[in-house]
Every structure is written in C-alpha cells, then in structure tokens.
Amino acid sequence: MIAVMDVGSNSVRMMLAEREHDAFRVIERDIRTTRLIAGMRDGILAPGACERTLGAMADFARRAHEAGCKRVYAFATSAMRDAQNRDAILRPAEDFGVQTEVLSGEEEAQLAYMAIERPGRMGVIDIGGGSTELVVGENGRVLSCACASVGAVRLNGEMAGATAAALVARAEAILRPAWETVQNSAASALAFVGISGTMHCLKALDLGVRDRAALEGQKLSCAFVHTMLERLVTMPVEARRALPGMNPDRADVIDCGAAVLCAFFQLAGLPEIEISASGDNMLGYARLRFLANSAQNLEPACGPVQDPDLG
C-alpha cells in the first residue's frame, strides 16, 4: 500500500493504491480545494492559503497512516515551485510525516505522460491551477515536454472579469512557447489526451452530469469549449454553480481553465481532445518512482528526475 499526495496550486489530492506486480490498483482518491496560489504576491504564499493546504495535507496523512501506509509521498507543483516561502509548508509537513518533493515544470509534464499507459505516440495536456503541461511520448518513452505558467487560478487572479477573447489571447501568448517545444513530436500523435480537473469539469458540463466514470474516453470538442467559455464569462458564480455537471469548487475559475484549453486548441489546430478520468499525475508519480523499469522511460532532454531516498 502506498499513499501519494499532489500539492497543487488549486487543490491537494491524495491517492491510496496497492502495488500489484508492475501495476497499481487505486483504492481511494480524494481532493480538497485549498487554492494555494490564491493571494500569492511577489513569490510569497499567503498565510491563509498555507494554512488551508497544511490542514488538507495533515488530514490526508492521518488517513493514509490509518490505512496502513508506512510512508506518505508528496510532490508539489506550480505554486510551490514559484514560492520563496515554500518552507512555510515543507517544514511543518515534515512534522506530520510528509516529505514533499517540489517538481520542475518538465518533471511535472513527465508525470502527466506516465499517468496514462497506451501504445503508440500520444500527447497529453494537463491544465492545473498555476501551470499547464504539454508532453508527447511514444510506447512509454517521453519524447518532448514543456510547462507554461498559465493555469485556471493564476489566470483568474490576473484577469478576473475579462472577456473571453482577452482570456484566450493572454493564455495563448503564455502557452505558445510550450506548444512550439512539443509540436514537432506532436505532429504524428494518434491523439491528445486531457487529464486534469478542468477537462473533467468541462466534459461533465457537456454531458450534464457529474460522473467521473462516464468521462473516460469521451471526446471534448473545441466547438463546445469555445461556446461554453462565451457563456461562462457572462454568468455570475452562483449561476455557474447551478449548471448541470458543474463542480461547485471550480465554478469561479472554470472560465479561465476553458480559456487555456481554447488557446491550446487554437495553437494545435485540433478539433477535439480525449478525456482520461482514470489517469492522473499521482498515478504517474507512483509508476515513475516505484516500478523498477520506470527510470528507463524518461527522455533526458526533458530534464532528469532524481529518485528520492526510499529508505
């Protein structure tokens, strides 16, 4: 039994899983929206955001230990990567038994690819709260990857209340260098797959139901996302929360998440992406860190990922 936490810019998530030979069986997933990046100024995390995040981490760690996990592994992404005062979270977390690895953007992108097991060449997009990762791989090997500092919460903090066109234009300007990094290897990709909560929420709005299992393998079209974005920016948050399929915790930032996805569609020239509800970067982290052959899956050009001391 292992426990993995993802300390993200928008939420803290936990996965409990059992290793079965060369695979993992997910037993439980949970999420707590903590908005770590909210209120961040000049690289300083806000005290309230730190308190919310530490509270979620402590609760998840307790539950993991009660479930029989001897050690809890955690990784942190965009907000912690950018924070000058990250020790405000890292050191207290050590006191309740959580060692947190702060990932680079390229390492985070690699996890997105490792989250999905599929033959052939495939692209993955992961829109988070503070950053967006693009990665292309083939038969378990990462070919190219990049990270852009644009995400649903970060863009909302910068441009809350902006028009749909302004949001997409800003997102596209930030995302473009990342797309240019991966576009050559993406040209022959069989599909682009979306794995993040933004994609899950948008497809749930398309279906009108909140059912994670129903999302697996579904297509999310560029046309729908553009139409939904135009609708969302004209709606107050409470009206958004009432939409069938809406995750209420994302209602205030889903327009910005949709804008990032629209920007990706424009850059990539794709009519749709595929949704993966079963793959996520916690599963990618487990595969990368704990399966014996995982270290061979990495492309050095994307930046090395050092194995932690497993003791």
Side-chain angles (χ1 to χ4, degrees):
M1 176 85 77
I2 66 163
V4 178
M5 269 190 240
D6 170 7
V7 185
S9 301
N10 182 58
S11 60
V12 178
R13 300 184 302 135
M14 180 184 70
M15 178 187 75
L16 299 180
E18 284 186 334
R19 181 171 176 173
E20 296 179 340
H21 304 292
D22 289 335
F24 287 96
R25 181 172 66 89
V26 177
I27 296 171
E28 180 184 354
R29 285 189 179 97
D30 203 352
I31 184 171
R32 190 86 55 82
T33 299
T34 58
R35 297 283 165 86
L36 180 58
I37 203 171
M40 186 175 181
R41 296 289 183 273
D42 300 322
I44 302 300
L45 297 168
C50 292
E51 183 178 349
R52 291 191 299 272
T53 299
L54 280 168
M57 293 175 72
D59 182 50
F60 285 161
R62 175 187 56 78
R63 288 167 52 185
H65 290 307
E66 289 174 352
C69 298
K70 295 182 179 179
R71 183 169 174 180
V72 179
Y73 297 88
F75 61 90
T77 55
S78 181
M80 290 270 274
R81 189 160 57 234
D82 295 345
Q84 297 178 30
N85 61 332
R86 67 180 69 167
D87 281 347
I89 289 177
L90 296 180
R91 289 180 179 172
E94 290 177 359
D95 294 338
F96 48 81
V98 178
Q99 297 281 340
T100 307
E101 181 180 8
V102 180
L103 301 181
S104 71
E106 290 76 15
E107 289 167 341
E108 186 179 359
Q110 290 168 14
L111 294 190
Y113 179 73
M114 295 296 294
I116 302 172
E117 293 183 310
R118 181 180 299 186
R121 186 167 294 200
M122 173 187 66
V124 180
I125 176 171
D126 181 0
I127 300 174
S131 64
T132 295
E133 286 69 49
L134 302 176
V135 57
V136 179
E138 186 169 17
N139 298 326
R141 181 175 177 81
V142 172
L143 301 177
S144 61
C145 59
C147 175
S149 294
V150 59
V153 182
R154 192 189 294 267
L155 186 61
N156 182 70
E158 179 183 345
M159 300 185 67
T163 65
L167 290 172
V168 174
R170 178 61 176 158
E172 184 175 340
I174 302 171
L175 194 59
R176 182 179 295 277
W179 170 248
E180 291 174 348
T181 297
V182 305
Q183 68 178 126
N184 287 339
S185 54
S188 57
L190 298 176
F192 245 91
V193 180
I195 67 169
S196 72
T198 288
M199 263 73 81
H200 297 166
C201 186
L202 288 169
K203 189 59 194 180
L205 288 170
D206 191 11
L207 297 175
V209 293
R210 286 189 65 191
D211 180 359
R212 186 183 178 109
L215 304 179
E216 186 66 34
Q218 295 271 2
K219 300 296 194 298
L220 182 60
S221 73
C222 174
F224 171 79
V225 177
H226 272 282
T227 299
M228 180 54 68
L229 173 59
E230 293 286 355
R231 183 181 178 191
L232 287 168
V233 295
T234 65
M235 301 175 70
V237 173
E238 288 307 313
R240 295 180 192 178
R241 289 196 176 104
L243 291 173
M246 176 64 78
N247 178 346
D249 290 337
R250 290 187 179 272
D252 59 332
V253 298
I254 190 59
D255 57 333
C256 292
V260 177
L261 185 53
C262 284
F264 170 75
F265 277 130
Q266 291 182 182
L267 289 166
L270 295 174
E272 62 185 16
I273 60 170
E274 181 181 329
I275 302 300
S276 173
S278 60
D280 65 52
N281 56 7
M282 291 185 294
L283 191 56
Y285 189 88
R287 287 171 177 157
L288 181 65
R289 295 299 191 237
F290 301 104
L291 297 185
N293 63 352
S294 292
Q296 301 173 9
N297 293 334
L298 298 177
E299 175 65 29
C302 290
V305 179
Q306 301 298 322
D307 286 340
D309 177 13
L310 300 183

